[in-house]
């Protein structure tokens, strides 16, 4: 995620600011890498005559915050800040339709199962082009659910 078929690298919102694609890095001792302590949402923005429209952004973000709370991962940004960051990141790509991936992940807080610093959390929002989830054939002919 983060670059299109042409290799164009988009900006990613990372820990409070839009950053260049190559400047978004997490530590190899990230708790999320070792123990899977992260939550995310997959959100779509669709092309409309007025520009990209993000589908049920508030509901997705409510679920993101709920998931983080269940896992006791603090999100240090307000709901409105993350909401605006999603919109800003979509805008920065210039895409008419897109896939949005907000990710909340425990950072480098020691190798133990219980994090030494519970507040070490990396938050990112990546946006990329993502065609039909079930393929163009699925759009044209429908899909079988079973």
């Amino acid at each position: 995620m983060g670059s299109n078929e042409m290799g164009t690298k988009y900006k990613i919102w990372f820990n409070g600011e839009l950053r260049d694609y190559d400047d978004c890095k997490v530590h190899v001792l990230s708790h999320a890498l070792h123990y899977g302590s992260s939550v995310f949402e997959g959100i779509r923005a669709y092309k409309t005559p007025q520009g990209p429209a993000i589908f049920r952004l508030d509901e997705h973000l409510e679920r993101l915050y709920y998931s983080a709370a269940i896992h006791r991962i603090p999100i240090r940004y307000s709901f409105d800040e993350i909401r605006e960051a999603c919109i800003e990141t979509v805008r920065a790509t210039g895409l008419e339709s897109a896939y949005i991936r907000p990710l909340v992940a425990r950072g480098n807080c020691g190798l133990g199962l219980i994090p030494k610093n519970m507040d070490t959390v990396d938050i990112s929002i990546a946006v990329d082009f993502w065609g039909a989830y079930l393929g163009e054939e699925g759009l044209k002919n429908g899909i079988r659910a079973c």
Side-chain angles (χ1 to χ4, degrees):
M1 191 155 38
S3 63
N4 65 15
E5 305 88 37
M6 308 277 283
T8 302
K9 293 182 179 178
Y10 302 127
K11 298 277 188 182
I12 296 174
W13 190 92
F14 187 74
N15 291 335
E17 63 185 1
L18 279 176
R19 295 187 187 182
D20 289 335
Y21 178 92
D22 292 329
D23 292 337
C24 297
K25 295 178 174 52
V26 295
H27 198 278
V28 71
L29 295 181
S30 168
H31 197 270
L33 179 62
H34 292 265
Y35 300 106
S37 54
S38 64
V39 295
F40 72 91
E41 279 293 314
I43 308 169
R44 296 295 297 252
Y46 296 99
K47 179 181 178 181
T48 73
Q50 294 79 33
I54 301 175
F55 183 74
R56 295 193 172 185
L57 178 58
D58 288 354
E59 290 88 343
H60 280 285
L61 294 181
E62 286 169 5
R63 188 168 52 194
L64 179 74
Y65 274 80
Y66 179 75
S67 297
I70 291 292
H71 291 280
R72 298 182 183 154
I73 304 172
I75 299 178
R76 65 183 174 273
Y77 300 96
S78 73
F79 183 92
D80 288 338
E81 287 173 311
I82 296 297
R83 186 179 196 286
E84 184 55 37
C86 288
I87 295 166
E88 177 185 16
T89 309
V90 169
R91 192 176 293 127
T93 68
L95 292 170
E96 293 181 320
S97 64
Y99 178 79
I100 307 159
R101 169 62 59 86
L103 174 72
V104 179
R106 287 205 183 277
N108 178 11
C109 47
L111 283 176
L113 180 59
I114 299 172
K116 291 178 182 164
N117 181 348
M118 298 291 277
D119 294 329
T120 304
V121 176
D122 291 313
I123 301 174
S124 62
I125 301 168
V127 174
D128 201 357
F129 173 78
W130 193 333
Y133 185 69
L134 299 172
E136 294 300 323
E137 189 70 21
L139 278 179
K140 189 170 97 179
N141 299 320
I143 62 159
R144 292 185 57 98
C146 296

